[in-house]
Every structure is written in structure tokens, then in C-alpha cells.
Amino acid sequence: MNLDFKESANTIISILRVQKHIAIFIKGSPDPDAIASSYFLYCLCNALHVQATMFAFMPASLPSNREIISLFSIPLHIEDTIKAINMRRYSGYIVCDFQTAALEGIVNVIPCLIHLDHHAPVEDDVSAHFRILTDDVASTSTLCALMMQYISCFPRDVIHLLATVLYLGIKTDSDNFNHLNKYDVMAIEYLNQLYIPSMIEKIESVPLSLYSQRLLQHAMANVVIYKDWLIAGVGFVEEEHRDTIAIIADYLLENNHVELAVVYGAVYHNNHTKLDIDASLRTKKEDLDLNELIKNITADGGGRKYKGAFQVHIDFFVYCPDQGKLWDIIALTTHHSLKNIRDGMYKITIQSKFKKLTKTIKKLFIKANKEK
Ligand SMILES: [Mn+2]
């Protein structure tokens, strides 16, 4: 893939400049990459004198992510649902760091102006005036940093703040710079001269909360090794601590000789009226197709290189009067399902290879047709 970041920067500026008021949505959990890339576009709107408002539908889960929001004074509005927002006030919306730009209730109300993400594109997404979806970069912040090089309207102090927050976005999503490709390296080279090291230090010195430490202990006490996989449940989790599941998966993969670490918990949402089984998957194997693996478990999830996640909705079980029994059933079912998937990995590998081959043939076919 060859991206022209100068042309991309010019295109997004020409799209934004004619807008009245833009809504910027963080669709998933506000993690460093989602916050950084959304804030980048927020600052760009500001620099172009276009009004913009940033929204998320859940609060930042990790203390370090909350620290980013407060340290950079990021004006992030948390809403329970998208229905709480009066869409007619906005002329368009932006989604960063999420595989799809579709949002319930706003299709045909306001257009999606910009959609940036570092996952492979999905086919049935809403249309966007400008879109970059590519898994050739480790983070959405990489795309923003490379466009930023060609944008001259940012005030000096904003440049340093943006460089710092984008640096954090890349660092987090590349697992501490462990998974970088050429675009990520280019972005870091650019940001290196601009970011503020003391701000990074401040954010990285925020400790895990006591709650997260307890979940980690629970997970470590319940680790099951099946063949070359590690599976661990953390028990029931309050919504605002959901990201801890991913952090624990990172930690367990790092500290065990396994191919895959799966950490799951039962996460309460909406004041305990909704319940999900929420799982994070981590691998060091570059060719392990986590997306294909996850799609064999549920449609509600996905993956890319090295990481993936899925959810299973079990709202009805919020009525279960015995949490202990409920957790036993969740754990029993999740372990059984994951072990079955591990046993069927041969089939999944073939499916994955077949899909990649079909994609390549399709691309060649399109190319041949264009050249005709
Ligand atoms: Mn990301």
C-alpha cells in the first residue's frame, strides 16, 4: 500500500473547512490511540475555525487514560447513548480508531465525513467522504502524525501537545514499539523532535488501580494452560474497568511461554442492566489469524495482528440470584468453547489461508480489469 499523506491532509482540510459543527465519536473504549486521533481532528477543526465536539459512550477505563484526558484538558463528553445527542446540531461526524463508522440512528441524518482506522476494512460499512482503513499501520495515531507533517495551521503549543498524545497512541497500540512497520517508524521519527517527554513520564507513572490489581490476582490464580494457549477468567467486572482485561492479557502473554493468551470477564453495563462476556486475545505469532479465530466464536468481535477481542451478550443473566453459580457456568462454557476452537485450529488456518488467497485473486482481477 502506498499512501499519500500530503494529499490526504489536503483532502481532510478541504472537507472540514466548509462544515458548521462536527461531532467526533469515540466508538469503543477511550484508549490512548482513540483519544489521540480524535483529539488531533478536534484540534484541526479548531485551527480551521470550525466548531467540533468530542463524544464517547463510556468513560476511560484505565487510570492512565483518565490522566491523558485531564493532563491534556481534552474536552470529551461522555454520553450513555447516542440518542442523548441532538444530531441536527451537527453537519457531519468523524470516527477514529474503530473498524466501522456506522452509528445507530444517524445514518441518513448526518454524513460521515472522516473515518480513520488501522484495521482491515469491512465491506458493509457506511460511506464516508474520506476514509483510510489499513492494517499497514500499528495505530490510527500513525496516520494522524503522518498527515500532521503537512498541516501548517496548528499553533506552536498545539503541535507539541498533539505530538505528545499521538506518540502515546502509537506507543500503546504497537505494544511499546514492539510491532512497528515502515509508516510507524516514519511517524515516530517525525514526533521524536516534537513530543514533550515529561508529559509521557507523568502518564506512564500512573499506577494500576487497586481494583485492577485485584482482577490481575484473580486471573493469575485461575490460569489454565491448554496445549499452547493460556486461558484465564477474572470474574465479574464493573464497566469502567473493562480495559483492565486487555492489560491483563498483555501481561500474561508477556510472562508465559504460550502462543495465545485469552483473558475474559463478565462485564456489567448500564447500571447492572446489561451483562457481557468480554474477552481479550493476545498473541506473539504474526501469522495467527485472530480475526478468523474470533469469527468462529462469535460475530461480535474481531482481531488484527497480535490482538483481538470479542463480546457475548448475556443480559438476561443479570437476573441470576447466585453470582457464584453464574460465574461457574460462564467459566465452564468459555473454557469449553475456547478449547474446541484450539482443537479446530487446523480448520481455521485453512479458512484463513483460503480467504487471503481469494482476496489476492480478487485484487489481481480488479487490477487486470483496470489495465484493460
Ligand atoms: Mn488503535
Side-chain angles (χ1 to χ4, degrees):
M1 181 198 66
N2 265 316
L3 286 168
D4 184 338
F5 290 99
K6 190 175 180 181
E7 198 188 303
S8 300
N10 288 335
T11 310
I12 58 170
I13 287 173
S14 64
I15 291 171
L16 296 179
R17 143 167 302 154
V18 294
Q19 301 299 320
K20 287 205 174 69
H21 192 171
I22 294 171
I24 302 172
F25 295 118
I26 294 181
K27 276 184 75 178
S29 173
D31 65 21
D33 190 31
I35 297 169
S37 47
S38 303
Y39 187 54
F40 167 79
L41 285 159
Y42 173 85
C43 292
L44 183 56
C45 289
N46 271 347
L48 297 169
H49 307 289
V50 172
Q51 220 183 333
T53 308
M54 283 174 75
F55 295 101
F57 303 105
M58 57 181 94
S61 162
L62 293 175
S64 53
N65 296 347
R66 290 198 291 273
E67 179 67 21
I68 295 178
I69 295 169
S70 84
L71 191 63
F72 290 87
S73 307
I74 295 177
L76 183 60
H77 299 263
I78 313 287
E79 299 288 350
D80 282 341
T81 108
I82 192 149
K83 292 186 193 106
I85 304 166
N86 180 3
M87 282 308 153
R88 312 225 169 255
R89 293 176 55 187
Y90 304 94
S91 51
Y93 74 96
I94 292 173
V95 171
C96 286
D97 201 41
F98 206 91
Q99 203 168 14
T100 60
L103 274 153
E104 207 189 326
I106 66 172
V107 181
N108 298 330
V109 181
I110 55 172
C112 177
L113 303 172
I114 295 168
H115 179 202
L116 304 176
D117 188 40
H118 57 108
H119 296 86
V122 288
E123 268 164 27
D124 53 350
D125 203 2
V126 295
S127 63
H129 291 345
F130 180 80
R131 169 173 273 147
I132 304 180
L133 286 187
T134 171
D135 47 13
D136 285 349
V137 293
S139 68
T140 310
S141 298
T142 304
L143 301 172
C144 298
L146 292 173
M147 287 192 279
M148 186 170 145
Q149 300 178 86
Y150 300 104
I151 297 174
S152 54
C153 58
F154 287 123
R156 198 77 221 154
D157 54 331
V158 173
I159 291 178
H160 292 292
L161 290 177
L162 281 178
T164 310
V165 77
L166 291 172
Y167 185 89
L168 276 169
I170 300 174
K171 188 171 182 190
T172 309
D173 273 25
S174 65
D175 300 319
N176 250 330
F177 305 130
N178 272 313
H179 306 306
L180 298 173
N181 65 44
K182 67 167 184 181
Y183 287 120
D184 305 306
V185 174
M186 280 159 61
I188 292 162
E189 275 172 3
Y190 165 67
L191 298 175
N192 263 337
Q193 343 145 32
L194 298 169
Y195 79 86
I196 307 163
S198 62
M199 288 182 94
I200 306 263
E201 258 164 53
K202 190 145 188 232
I203 283 151
E204 290 184 339
S205 61
V206 176
L208 269 187
S209 66
L210 275 177
Y211 186 98
S212 301
Q213 289 174 30
R214 268 205 302 278
L215 289 185
L216 176 61
Q217 278 164 4
H218 191 290
M220 283 164 67
N222 289 287
V223 160
V224 170
I225 305 284
Y226 184 71
K227 298 183 178 174
D228 41 15
W229 286 18
L230 177 155
I231 307 167
V234 299
F236 291 91
V237 180
E238 293 302 328
E239 180 173 23
E240 64 265 34
H241 298 287
R242 191 261 150 233
D243 286 357
T244 309
I245 295 173
I247 301 280
I248 293 173
D250 284 333
Y251 179 85
L252 291 178
L253 180 70
E254 201 53 48
N255 291 285
N256 290 277
H257 290 287
V258 288
E259 252 176 28
L260 178 76
V262 188
V263 177
Y264 66 94
V267 182
Y268 283 113
H269 301 276
N270 288 45
N271 298 324
H272 283 225
T273 58
K274 292 187 171 194
L275 186 62
D276 288 344
I277 298 171
D278 208 317
S280 286
L281 292 81
R282 297 290 186 268
T283 181
K284 287 180 186 164
K285 259 186 95 181
E286 199 178 342
D287 59 346
L288 181 59
D289 189 341
L290 285 181
N291 197 46
E292 188 67 29
L293 189 160
I294 288 167
K295 299 291 187 217
N296 273 268
I297 302 171
T298 168
D300 216 351
R304 53 189 166 86
K305 256 189 210 171
Y306 311 114
K307 44 180 80 176
F310 68 81
Q311 284 87 37
V312 178
H313 306 299
I314 49 167
D315 296 342
F316 183 63
F317 288 95
V318 295
Y319 301 113
C320 178
D322 189 329
Q323 268 211 329
K325 272 194 190 135
L326 178 57
W327 175 254
D328 287 346
I329 289 182
I330 290 170
L332 183 70
T333 314
T334 308
H335 282 260
H336 184 72
S337 154
L338 288 168
K339 285 174 181 173
N340 272 341
I341 292 285
R342 172 63 190 87
D343 291 338
M345 264 320 279
Y346 177 71
K347 195 187 100 200
I348 291 171
T349 311
I350 302 226
Q351 277 172 1
S352 156
K353 289 208 167 114
F354 181 74
K355 279 191 186 162
K356 274 185 193 142
L357 185 69
T358 323
K359 241 189 200 169
T360 314
I361 293 172
K362 218 169 156 185
K363 266 189 202 158
L364 283 173
F365 189 72
I366 292 170
K367 202 174 154 211
N369 261 342
K370 271 187 193 156
E371 280 166 8
K372 252 186 215 169

